[in-house]
Amino acid sequence: MTETAREIYNRGLELGNNPAAFSKVGDCGSSPSWFLGAFDSGPDDYRLGEHQHLDEVIRYFGGSFGRVSLAAKSGFNASSVFSPLSADPVECAPGEGPLACEYRIHRPSIAFIMLGTNDRFHAEVFEDRLSQIVAYTIAKGVVPILATKPDNLEGDGSLNATVARVARAYDVPLWNEWRAMQSLPDGGLQEDGAHLTWEPNWFDDRVILRAGWPVRNLTALQALDVVWRYVTSAEDPTATP
Protein backbone atom coordinates (compact mmCIF):
# COMPACT_ATOMS: atom_id res chain seq x y z
CA MET A 1 0.00 0.00 0.00
CA THR A 2 1.24 3.46 -0.93
CA GLU A 3 -0.06 6.99 -0.90
CA THR A 4 -0.88 6.59 -4.61
CA ALA A 5 -3.92 4.43 -3.81
CA ARG A 6 -5.28 7.07 -1.44
CA GLU A 7 -4.79 9.81 -4.05
CA ILE A 8 -6.63 7.78 -6.69
CA TYR A 9 -9.49 7.05 -4.28
CA ASN A 10 -9.96 10.69 -3.28
CA ARG A 11 -9.90 11.81 -6.90
CA GLY A 12 -12.56 9.22 -7.65
CA LEU A 13 -14.80 10.61 -4.94
CA GLU A 14 -14.47 14.03 -6.55
CA LEU A 15 -15.51 12.44 -9.86
CA GLY A 16 -18.64 10.98 -8.24
CA ASN A 17 -17.57 7.38 -7.68
CA ASN A 18 -19.48 5.36 -5.09
CA PRO A 19 -17.25 4.74 -2.04
CA ALA A 20 -19.32 1.65 -1.18
CA ALA A 21 -18.98 -0.06 -4.58
CA PHE A 22 -16.28 -2.23 -6.11
CA SER A 23 -16.07 -3.91 -9.52
CA LYS A 24 -14.60 -7.14 -10.88
CA VAL A 25 -12.63 -7.21 -14.12
CA GLY A 26 -11.76 -10.68 -15.33
CA ASP A 27 -12.77 -14.00 -16.87
CA CYS A 28 -15.10 -16.81 -15.74
CA GLY A 29 -13.35 -16.92 -12.38
CA SER A 30 -14.92 -13.53 -11.65
CA SER A 31 -18.46 -14.87 -11.68
CA PRO A 32 -20.32 -14.24 -8.40
CA SER A 33 -21.32 -17.91 -8.39
CA TRP A 34 -17.69 -18.60 -7.50
CA PHE A 35 -16.02 -15.34 -6.58
CA LEU A 36 -17.33 -13.41 -3.53
CA GLY A 37 -21.02 -13.79 -4.41
CA ALA A 38 -21.76 -15.66 -1.18
CA PHE A 39 -21.15 -12.51 0.84
CA ASP A 40 -24.28 -10.94 -0.59
CA SER A 41 -26.31 -14.10 0.01
CA GLY A 42 -26.32 -13.83 3.78
CA PRO A 43 -24.42 -15.39 6.69
CA ASP A 44 -25.87 -18.85 6.03
CA ASP A 45 -23.56 -19.07 3.00
CA TYR A 46 -20.29 -18.30 4.77
CA ARG A 47 -18.55 -18.62 8.13
CA LEU A 48 -15.88 -16.09 9.05
CA GLY A 49 -14.41 -17.99 11.99
CA GLU A 50 -11.44 -16.07 13.38
CA HIS A 51 -11.88 -13.45 10.65
CA GLN A 52 -14.88 -11.72 12.22
CA HIS A 53 -13.34 -8.31 11.54
CA LEU A 54 -14.17 -8.86 7.85
CA ASP A 55 -17.87 -8.53 8.65
CA GLU A 56 -17.48 -4.75 8.49
CA VAL A 57 -16.14 -4.70 4.93
CA ILE A 58 -18.81 -7.22 3.88
CA ARG A 59 -21.56 -4.97 5.19
CA TYR A 60 -20.00 -1.81 3.76
CA PHE A 61 -19.68 -3.14 0.19
CA GLY A 62 -22.98 -5.02 0.21
CA GLY A 63 -24.42 -5.29 -3.30
CA SER A 64 -21.08 -5.49 -5.11
CA PHE A 65 -20.21 -9.06 -4.08
CA GLY A 66 -23.10 -10.72 -5.90
CA ARG A 67 -23.33 -8.25 -8.76
CA VAL A 68 -22.58 -9.57 -12.27
CA SER A 69 -19.89 -7.28 -13.60
CA LEU A 70 -20.13 -5.99 -17.17
CA ALA A 71 -16.34 -6.29 -17.39
CA ALA A 72 -16.10 -9.95 -16.37
CA LYS A 73 -17.00 -12.78 -18.68
CA SER A 74 -15.90 -16.30 -19.56
CA GLY A 75 -13.01 -16.20 -22.01
CA PHE A 76 -12.07 -12.57 -21.36
CA ASN A 77 -8.45 -11.54 -21.69
CA ALA A 78 -6.77 -8.17 -21.30
CA SER A 79 -7.81 -7.12 -24.81
CA SER A 80 -11.46 -8.13 -24.46
CA VAL A 81 -12.30 -5.52 -21.84
CA PHE A 82 -11.71 -2.71 -24.35
CA SER A 83 -13.57 -4.32 -27.26
CA PRO A 84 -17.11 -3.03 -27.97
CA LEU A 85 -17.80 -6.40 -29.60
CA SER A 86 -17.43 -7.99 -26.15
CA ALA A 87 -19.74 -5.52 -24.40
CA ASP A 88 -23.29 -6.17 -23.24
CA PRO A 89 -25.46 -4.87 -26.11
CA VAL A 90 -28.30 -3.94 -23.77
CA GLU A 91 -26.44 -2.21 -20.94
CA CYS A 92 -23.58 -0.62 -22.84
CA ALA A 93 -23.58 2.32 -25.23
CA PRO A 94 -22.68 1.87 -28.92
CA GLY A 95 -18.91 1.74 -29.33
CA GLU A 96 -18.36 1.31 -25.58
CA GLY A 97 -16.13 -1.47 -24.29
CA PRO A 98 -16.92 -3.64 -21.24
CA LEU A 99 -14.50 -1.83 -18.93
CA ALA A 100 -15.77 1.65 -19.75
CA CYS A 101 -19.36 0.39 -19.50
CA GLU A 102 -18.82 -1.18 -16.08
CA TYR A 103 -17.16 1.91 -14.63
CA ARG A 104 -19.81 4.23 -16.08
CA ILE A 105 -22.76 2.25 -14.74
CA HIS A 106 -21.44 0.96 -11.40
CA ARG A 107 -19.16 3.91 -10.48
CA PRO A 108 -16.86 1.81 -8.26
CA SER A 109 -14.19 3.21 -6.00
CA ILE A 110 -12.11 -0.01 -6.14
CA ALA A 111 -11.72 -2.71 -8.81
CA PHE A 112 -10.28 -6.21 -8.72
CA ILE A 113 -8.37 -6.77 -11.99
CA MET A 114 -7.95 -10.53 -12.45
CA LEU A 115 -6.61 -11.37 -15.90
CA GLY A 116 -3.86 -13.46 -17.42
CA THR A 117 -5.08 -17.05 -17.76
CA ASN A 118 -6.49 -16.47 -21.24
CA ASP A 119 -3.64 -14.13 -22.17
CA ARG A 120 -1.13 -16.94 -22.52
CA PHE A 121 -2.17 -17.23 -26.16
CA HIS A 122 -1.04 -13.64 -26.81
CA ALA A 123 1.48 -13.16 -24.04
CA GLU A 124 3.52 -10.71 -26.09
CA VAL A 125 0.85 -8.01 -25.78
CA PHE A 126 -0.27 -8.75 -22.21
CA GLU A 127 1.88 -6.16 -20.47
CA ASP A 128 0.82 -3.39 -22.84
CA ARG A 129 -2.88 -4.26 -22.52
CA LEU A 130 -2.76 -4.65 -18.74
CA SER A 131 -0.95 -1.31 -18.47
CA GLN A 132 -3.72 0.30 -20.51
CA ILE A 133 -6.34 -1.18 -18.18
CA VAL A 134 -4.55 0.12 -15.09
CA ALA A 135 -4.01 3.56 -16.61
CA TYR A 136 -7.68 3.81 -17.61
CA THR A 137 -8.79 2.61 -14.18
CA ILE A 138 -6.64 5.23 -12.45
CA ALA A 139 -7.91 7.94 -14.79
CA LYS A 140 -11.46 7.09 -13.70
CA GLY A 141 -10.49 7.48 -10.05
CA VAL A 142 -10.84 3.76 -9.35
CA VAL A 143 -8.21 2.07 -7.19
CA PRO A 144 -7.03 -1.08 -9.01
CA ILE A 145 -6.20 -4.21 -7.05
CA LEU A 146 -4.14 -6.32 -9.44
CA ALA A 147 -4.30 -10.07 -8.84
CA THR A 148 -1.79 -12.68 -9.81
CA LYS A 149 -3.44 -15.80 -11.18
CA PRO A 150 -3.35 -19.14 -9.36
CA ASP A 151 -2.31 -21.13 -12.43
CA ASN A 152 0.95 -21.29 -14.36
CA LEU A 153 -0.38 -22.52 -17.69
CA GLU A 154 2.31 -20.57 -19.54
CA GLY A 155 4.88 -22.74 -17.76
CA ASP A 156 7.38 -20.13 -16.63
CA GLY A 157 5.39 -17.81 -14.36
CA SER A 158 5.99 -14.93 -16.75
CA LEU A 159 2.42 -13.62 -16.80
CA ASN A 160 2.30 -13.29 -13.03
CA ALA A 161 5.67 -11.58 -13.14
CA THR A 162 4.12 -9.14 -15.61
CA VAL A 163 1.19 -8.46 -13.25
CA ALA A 164 3.61 -7.70 -10.41
CA ARG A 165 5.73 -5.50 -12.66
CA VAL A 166 2.72 -3.44 -13.79
CA ALA A 167 1.50 -3.05 -10.20
CA ARG A 168 4.91 -1.74 -9.19
CA ALA A 169 5.16 0.56 -12.20
CA TYR A 170 1.85 2.23 -11.37
CA ASP A 171 2.37 2.01 -7.60
CA VAL A 172 -0.97 0.28 -6.99
CA PRO A 173 -2.04 -2.64 -4.75
CA LEU A 174 -1.11 -6.21 -5.67
CA TRP A 175 -3.06 -9.19 -4.34
CA ASN A 176 -0.69 -12.13 -4.73
CA GLU A 177 -3.30 -14.83 -5.14
CA TRP A 178 -0.75 -17.26 -6.61
CA ARG A 179 1.38 -17.06 -3.47
CA ALA A 180 -1.64 -17.68 -1.24
CA MET A 181 -2.33 -20.95 -3.09
CA GLN A 182 1.13 -22.45 -2.90
CA SER A 183 0.65 -24.24 0.43
CA LEU A 184 -2.51 -25.98 -0.82
CA PRO A 185 -2.62 -29.46 -2.39
CA ASP A 186 -1.79 -29.07 -6.11
CA GLY A 187 -1.67 -25.32 -5.61
CA GLY A 188 -5.42 -25.24 -5.09
CA LEU A 189 -5.99 -26.37 -8.69
CA GLN A 190 -7.99 -29.16 -10.30
CA GLU A 191 -6.36 -31.70 -12.62
CA ASP A 192 -6.61 -29.32 -15.59
CA GLY A 193 -4.18 -26.96 -13.87
CA ALA A 194 -6.50 -24.01 -14.48
CA HIS A 195 -9.64 -24.24 -12.35
CA LEU A 196 -9.69 -24.05 -8.56
CA THR A 197 -10.79 -26.81 -6.23
CA TRP A 198 -14.13 -26.10 -4.55
CA GLU A 199 -15.34 -26.04 -0.97
CA PRO A 200 -17.81 -23.67 0.74
CA ASN A 201 -16.68 -20.41 2.30
CA TRP A 202 -16.23 -21.77 5.80
CA PHE A 203 -13.17 -19.98 7.11
CA ASP A 204 -13.37 -21.75 10.47
CA ASP A 205 -12.61 -25.17 8.97
CA ARG A 206 -8.94 -25.96 8.30
CA VAL A 207 -9.80 -28.93 6.09
CA ILE A 208 -11.98 -26.79 3.84
CA LEU A 209 -9.24 -24.17 3.72
CA ARG A 210 -7.13 -26.70 1.81
CA ALA A 211 -9.25 -25.98 -1.29
CA GLY A 212 -8.66 -23.17 -3.73
CA TRP A 213 -11.99 -21.34 -3.80
CA PRO A 214 -12.40 -20.57 -0.09
CA VAL A 215 -8.77 -19.40 0.08
CA ARG A 216 -9.29 -17.18 -2.95
CA ASN A 217 -12.41 -15.64 -1.46
CA LEU A 218 -10.84 -15.19 1.98
CA THR A 219 -7.70 -13.51 0.65
CA ALA A 220 -9.78 -11.34 -1.71
CA LEU A 221 -11.82 -10.14 1.26
CA GLN A 222 -8.63 -9.47 3.17
CA ALA A 223 -7.20 -7.49 0.24
CA LEU A 224 -10.38 -5.45 -0.13
CA ASP A 225 -10.45 -4.79 3.61
CA VAL A 226 -6.84 -3.60 3.75
CA VAL A 227 -7.19 -1.34 0.71
CA TRP A 228 -10.51 0.11 1.90
CA ARG A 229 -9.18 0.85 5.37
CA TYR A 230 -6.01 2.37 3.96
CA VAL A 231 -7.61 4.74 1.46
CA THR A 232 -10.20 5.94 3.96
CA SER A 233 -7.71 6.50 6.79
CA ALA A 234 -5.24 9.30 7.37
CA GLU A 235 -2.82 6.69 8.71
CA ASP A 236 -1.54 3.33 7.54
CA PRO A 237 -3.80 0.68 9.14
CA THR A 238 -1.40 -2.08 8.04
CA ALA A 239 1.54 -0.67 10.00
CA THR A 240 2.80 -2.68 12.96
CA PRO A 241 3.17 -0.66 16.18
Side-chain angles (χ1 to χ4, degrees):
M1 293 302 303
T2 68
E3 188 62 26
T4 300
R6 190 176 285 135
E7 293 171 356
I8 297 168
Y9 178 83
N10 288 331
R11 187 165 65 251
L13 295 185
E14 294 173 358
L15 293 172
N17 290 348
N18 183 354
F22 72 85
S23 286
K24 308 168 190 175
V25 181
D27 53 26
C28 62
S30 306
S31 165
S33 299
W34 303 98
F35 183 60
L36 298 180
F39 303 108
D40 266 342
S41 300
D44 288 343
D45 283 345
Y46 62 88
R47 300 192 325 220
L48 295 179
E50 65 185 34
H51 306 283
Q52 292 298 321
H53 67 284
L54 295 174
D55 182 64
E56 187 175 358
V57 74
I58 291 171
R59 287 186 285 107
Y60 187 81
F61 285 99
S64 288
F65 297 104
R67 180 176 180 275
V68 177
S69 171
L70 295 163
K73 188 176 179 181
S74 179
F76 265 19
N77 59 24
S79 297
S80 304
V81 299
F82 285 118
S83 173
L85 294 177
S86 300
D88 187 307
V90 176
E91 298 288 343
C92 303
E96 186 176 49
L99 187 66
C101 182
E102 170 67 9
Y103 289 171
R104 175 180 60 83
I105 291 175
H106 195 44
R107 306 295 297 185
S109 58
I110 297 172
F112 284 102
I113 298 176
M114 306 168 288
L115 294 161
T117 294
N118 296 318
D119 290 275
R120 68 188 186 277
F121 304 111
H122 302 284
E124 70 282 357
V125 300
F126 179 56
E127 186 162 359
D128 179 66
R129 299 291 189 272
L130 184 61
S131 296
Q132 290 180 41
I133 292 170
V134 173
Y136 182 82
T137 299
I138 292 173
K140 292 298 181 180
V142 180
V143 179
I145 301 176
L146 270 65
T148 56
K149 58 191 180 68
D151 69 76
N152 182 27
L153 292 176
E154 70 275 21
D156 60 1
S158 58
L159 294 176
N160 275 343
T162 296
V163 173
R165 188 163 55 246
V166 171
R168 181 177 292 273
Y170 285 90
D171 201 27
V172 295
L174 175 72
W175 163 37
N176 196 347
E177 181 187 346
W178 179 86
R179 180 67 183 86
M181 298 288 177
Q182 294 314 293
S183 64
L184 306 183
D186 299 315
L189 298 170
Q190 298 179 29
E191 291 183 3
D192 61 6
H195 295 91
L196 297 176
T197 50
W198 185 87
E199 288 289 354
N201 294 294
W202 295 352
F203 305 150
D204 58 353
D205 189 317
R206 293 188 180 276
V207 174
I208 280 177
L209 287 176
R210 300 291 288 166
W213 272 113
V215 170
R216 186 182 196 220
N217 283 322
L218 172 58
T219 55
L221 272 181
Q222 291 172 326
L224 179 63
D225 183 62
V226 168
V227 172
W228 169 55
R229 293 181 186 277
Y230 183 91
V231 298
T232 57
S233 171
E235 300 177 352
D236 181 358
T238 68
T240 301

